[in-house]
Amino acid sequence: MAALFTGTSGYSYGEWVDAGVYPKGTHAANMLTAYTRHFNAVELNYTWYQMPKAPSLERMAAQVPGNFMFSLKLTRTLTHEVDKTLWKDEAAAFRRAVAPLVDTQKLLSILVQLPPYFRRTPDRRAYLAALLEEFTGLPMAVEFRHPSWVNDKVFYEFERRNITLVTVDGPPLPHLFPRLDLVTNPDLIYLRLHGRNSAGWRSGNMQKQFDYDYSETELRETAALMTQRLMPGARAGALFFNNHVRGQAPKNCLRLAAILQAH
Amino acid sequence: MSHRDIIHLNIADFAAGIEACIDPALRNEPLVIAPTGAPRAVVYDMNEPAFKEGIRKGMPLSRVKRQHRGVPVLPPRFNRYERAMKDVFKQGLTYTPAVESGCRDGHLFLDITGTSRLYGPPPDVAFRLKKSVKKSLGLEPIWSLATSKLVAKVATRMVKPLGEYIVGPGEEEAFLGPLPLSLLPGLSKEEIRTATRFNLVRISQIRTLTPAQMDIPFPGRAAAVRRLLKGIDPSPVSPSRPGRLRADHEFADDTNDADELTAGLALMAAALAGRLCSRNETLRSLTLTISYSDGVCHTESAKAQGGLESALFRQSRSLFRAAWKRRVRIRHMALTCTAGPVAPVQADLFASPGPDNSPRTDRLSGAMAEIRARFGNAAVRPAAALAIP
């Protein structure tokens, strides 16, 4: 059976203590350790805001059990605020930073989350190809947010390069990249669940955008998607909940893991 | 103790940046901010290209002009910097009431502990704040996120002039360890010099010393320095208190003429007294800040001795005498006071009814305030302010 890594997008949320995810009085410095008691993977969001630092990742890797994996969001200077003259240096810096995770075999994937305005244009196609080239040899997963990328040529190229196309669960709104149950890289399938809060999605406030509690039916559907469409034939799977508000992500994730285990 | 989320915004080369926003032609060329008419003037601020050419704050302007011919020099305009600072401050207030700003220096601390339910994860708040400052001012601040003001401040120093730094909870010691001692706030130049003489240049080196050994380079301060080295800084982000009023005066030319300086004080005292009167508040404390032409500031404070214009003026003059310690010309003065409601006074049981019994000075102040409210501040001014046209 394929290995399945489940977790949430980020783990350091003060409100999760109030929500009962972490024991009362848990200091932020101890949250990762507390988190590892429930999950075997985490998606690090802070690496989008700032270039990660190797010593910091090394310390994190030392705090987690042997089978625990990290997925790192690629820094914004490589996805959202790209400087044509500097991006290659930034990519090299990112590669250097993740080296401790590569060495300890704790790097699940590098998540390239592209902005909603990142349309499919010749320039951007060329940039994305060059960017992925810079990370050759590392596990890469790409999350598109503009529907113009729904194109067989894109998926074929991902298959050829062993790049994972992220399957996204979000609200049913127009102009979003749709949920595609495509496996472009059998080494790793990657599902991100953002919640389906249509009303708050474009509010500009993360607390509204990601405020969603998946129902039992929705979680069972997601489990079916994993077991019937995505996981067969895959060697590993990653599943991350991003609806972090009020501790809903860990609650939903634990429930989905239980459903999957019962399958 | 639960951890705090402290954001530090640092707009590098603040004064030069503001000037470059007003005149974008100055943006990519070296630019120096320094008083142009003052003898022995020193550099108040400079932009990044000027920094790369070796120009530093506090450097004599004559030397800069000699070594870097053609570098444009603009006089500091403190009022502009203050307005920009207020704007940044207001943007910070949209996320938390705990905002502390520096004195026109582009530094801002925000304590956003416990606000994530409203505004989202702390790194996202810092990032959005940076974006909004960039949008409104055209300046890109460095930002950092840490568990204390000390660590947050060091973190922004690490990425100057551009960037961001998040120091996660529990990472403080590891973050500070490899850094040079000179990056740590709270140590005097003398202490750093002494430590360097002992060949102690990195924070991690000093951490290995015993308390007795620490007492040698840091006599009497070993325990305090040890806390700094560990990144322990419980000092709160001190928001500016409500009820604070401020008046300032910028001299057309830097001056050390006693009459002109007194006139500036008189104008500020009049402005503050008028505002206190219109708010029906009384003075609690008074602070005077004088900024010399080389950018050095001196501040003096005292408890209030009366809220009338004459008393305010008298007290501001005595504060000025205490604060004026240098022969360097003065460019800018600011008078800040805390105010509060007028304490209720029990009326005299046997006071005779009829005409106003208050002292003449009270009535004079009241009349001046009325005239100013009706005809503007320039309608009536104290004789002491006549030295300023």
Side-chain angles (χ1 to χ4, degrees), chain B residues 244-324:
Chain B
R244 188 167 275 230
L245 299 175
R246 181 186 164 91
D248 66 339
H249 185 82
E250 186 162 357
F251 294 98
D253 291 313
D254 305 346
T255 183
N256 50 15
D257 179 89
D259 287 345
E260 262 188 85
L261 294 166
T262 307
L265 290 172
L267 285 176
M268 291 192 297
L272 274 190
R275 284 161 68 189
L276 281 170
C277 185
S278 66
R279 292 159 63 125
N280 196 24
E281 286 180 334
T282 187
L283 194 66
R284 297 264 189 265
S285 68
L286 195 63
T287 302
L288 176 74
T289 303
I290 56 177
S291 307
Y292 295 95
S293 56
D294 56 4
V296 173
C297 296
H298 278 152
T299 299
E300 283 292 331
S301 300
K303 280 192 175 172
Q305 293 165 359
L308 293 173
E309 187 174 331
S310 52
L312 247 165
F313 176 51
R314 257 199 319 278
Q315 201 172 356
S316 63
R317 270 193 359 185
S318 65
L319 285 176
F320 179 76
R321 278 193 289 273
W324 195 18

Side-chain angles (χ1 to χ4, degrees), chain A:
Chain A
M1 191 183 160
L4 180 62
F5 296 95
T6 56
T8 58
S9 298
Y11 65 87
S12 182
Y13 298 100
E15 62 187 283
W16 286 10
V17 177
D18 300 334
V21 180
Y22 300 134
K24 286 269 176 236
T26 304
H27 189 277
N30 303 322
M31 280 182 186
L32 181 59
T33 311
Y35 177 91
T36 59
R37 290 184 196 123
H38 304 294
F39 308 105
N40 61 355
V42 70
E43 213 176 58
L44 295 182
N45 280 327
Y46 85 89
T47 56
W48 183 83
Y49 296 99
Q50 73 157 0
M51 182 64 67
K53 316 239 171 347
S56 180
L57 291 178
E58 207 172 335
R59 280 193 294 275
M60 288 175 96
Q63 285 178 47
V64 299
N67 62 343
F68 192 91
M69 300 289 271
F70 292 90
S71 179
L72 273 69
K73 206 183 263 190
L74 196 60
T75 310
R76 64 177 207 284
T77 48
L78 290 162
T79 55
H80 290 60
E81 300 165 9
V82 181
D83 183 325
K84 284 179 184 169
T85 58
L86 292 175
W87 75 265
K88 284 199 175 183
D89 296 338
E90 295 277 298
F94 198 95
R95 268 197 93 114
R96 283 195 299 275
V98 299
L101 296 182
V102 177
D103 295 344
T104 51
Q105 297 183 334
K106 289 194 175 302
L107 180 66
L108 180 61
S109 183
I110 293 171
L111 173 64
V112 185
Q113 190 190 45
L114 296 161
Y117 53 81
F118 195 85
R119 291 170 166 271
R120 185 165 172 265
T121 63
D123 279 357
R124 283 172 173 162
R125 274 165 46 203
Y127 173 70
L128 182 59
L131 178 68
L132 294 171
E133 198 71 38
E134 292 297 314
F135 289 98
T136 303
L138 296 180
M140 302 297 288
V142 177
E143 179 183 348
F144 290 114
R145 288 197 279 174
H146 195 279
S148 59
W149 292 91
V150 181
N151 188 299
D152 280 343
K153 285 182 188 167
V154 175
F155 306 140
Y156 170 74
E157 192 57 25
F158 274 21
E159 273 178 27
R160 196 181 69 79
R161 291 171 181 243
N162 263 15
I163 306 287
T164 300
L165 174 75
V166 174
T167 303
V168 181
D169 186 277
L173 291 172
H175 313 302
L176 293 184
F177 191 83
R179 196 187 82 182
L180 296 176
D181 311 336
L182 273 175
V183 177
T184 57
N185 176 17
D187 290 343
L188 179 72
I189 62 106
Y190 202 118
L191 174 62
R192 298 192 83 214
L193 296 107
H194 294 297
R196 299 175 186 176
N197 187 344
S198 300
W201 191 254
R202 293 196 170 102
S203 64
N205 182 333
M206 283 176 88
Q207 294 304 98
K208 290 180 183 162
Q209 188 178 1
F210 300 116
D211 187 2
Y212 189 79
D213 192 6
Y214 282 93
S215 69
E216 181 69 15
T217 316
E218 288 167 336
L219 292 173
R220 286 190 178 278
E221 283 168 9
T222 307
L225 166 75
M226 288 293 287
T227 52
Q228 291 162 25
R229 308 290 296 274
L230 298 175
M231 286 299 277
R235 280 179 280 278
L239 188 156
F240 292 106
F241 278 84
N242 193 20
N243 50 332
H244 60 79
V245 179
R246 287 182 282 135
Q248 291 162 134
K251 188 187 88 176
N252 291 163
C253 190
L254 286 173
R255 179 65 196 135
L256 181 57
I259 296 169
L260 284 169
Q261 213 161 21
H263 260 268

Side-chain angles (χ1 to χ4, degrees), chain B residues 55-118:
Chain B
I55 300 170
R56 298 288 183 270
K57 284 182 187 177
M59 199 179 253
L61 186 61
S62 55
R63 193 171 127 202
V64 171
K65 282 184 169 170
R66 203 171 54 244
Q67 292 178 347
H68 308 272
R69 287 179 193 281
V71 171
V73 179
L74 292 180
R77 286 173 279 200
F78 296 112
N79 286 342
R80 281 185 183 179
Y81 314 147
E82 199 147 318
R83 274 200 301 275
M85 207 57 223
K86 271 186 187 166
D87 188 39
V88 180
F89 189 86
K90 269 189 194 167
Q91 293 183 45
L93 284 178
T94 58
Y95 294 102
T96 171
V99 183
E100 180 183 324
S101 77
C103 173
R104 303 184 300 264
D105 57 0
H107 287 265
L108 202 73
F109 287 102
L110 297 96
D111 187 343
I112 57 160
T113 310
T115 64
S116 60
R117 277 194 210 186
L118 281 173

Side-chain angles (χ1 to χ4, degrees), chain B residues 45-262:
Chain B
D45 198 13
M46 72 276 138
N47 64 359
E48 189 60 17
F51 183 85
K52 282 181 179 161
E53 288 201 6
I55 300 170
R56 298 288 183 270
K57 284 182 187 177
M59 199 179 253
L61 186 61
S62 55
R63 193 171 127 202
V64 171
K65 282 184 169 170
R66 203 171 54 244
Q67 292 178 347
H68 308 272
R69 287 179 193 281
V71 171
V73 179
L74 292 180
R77 286 173 279 200
F78 296 112
N79 286 342
R80 281 185 183 179
Y81 314 147
E82 199 147 318
R83 274 200 301 275
M85 207 57 223
K86 271 186 187 166
D87 188 39
V88 180
F89 189 86
K90 269 189 194 167
Q91 293 183 45
L93 284 178
T94 58
Y95 294 102
T96 171
V99 183
E100 180 183 324
S101 77
C103 173
R104 303 184 300 264
D105 57 0
H107 287 265
L108 202 73
F109 287 102
L110 297 96
D111 187 343
I112 57 160
T113 310
T115 64
S116 60
R117 277 194 210 186
L118 281 173
Y119 303 117
D124 196 61
V125 172
F127 179 68
R128 277 186 284 156
L129 192 58
K130 182 207 89 161
K131 277 208 302 189
S132 70
V133 170
K134 190 180 177 188
K135 196 174 169 190
S136 66
L137 283 183
L139 297 172
E140 188 157 3
I142 305 163
W143 62 268
S144 67
L145 179 68
T147 54
S148 69
K149 282 163 67 178
L150 177 126
V151 177
K153 193 167 185 177
V154 176
T156 53
R157 286 178 177 180
M158 291 285 291
V159 286
K160 216 172 175 182
L162 208 63
E164 61 286 315
Y165 209 118
I166 301 169
V167 184
E171 293 216 308
E172 297 84 358
E173 278 198 65
F175 161 70
L176 291 174
L179 303 183
L181 208 55
S182 55
L183 278 180
L184 196 69
L187 296 180
S188 69
K189 282 181 183 168
E190 186 51 42
E191 285 174 328
I192 294 171
R193 260 198 301 272
T194 311
T196 310
R197 275 204 296 275
F198 287 109
N199 210 19
L200 299 166
V201 288
R202 305 226 164 254
I203 290 171
S204 54
Q205 292 172 324
I206 301 177
R207 280 201 199 131
T208 59
L209 302 183
T210 63
Q213 288 170 328
M214 288 270 291
D215 239 1
I216 300 168
F218 310 106
R221 291 233 308 146
V225 171
R226 191 172 284 279
R227 280 195 298 274
L228 291 178
L229 299 172
K230 287 183 170 182
I232 299 170
D233 172 24
S235 67
V237 171
S238 310
S240 67
R241 282 163 288 175
R244 188 167 275 230
L245 299 175
R246 181 186 164 91
D248 66 339
H249 185 82
E250 186 162 357
F251 294 98
D253 291 313
D254 305 346
T255 183
N256 50 15
D257 179 89
D259 287 345
E260 262 188 85
L261 294 166
T262 307

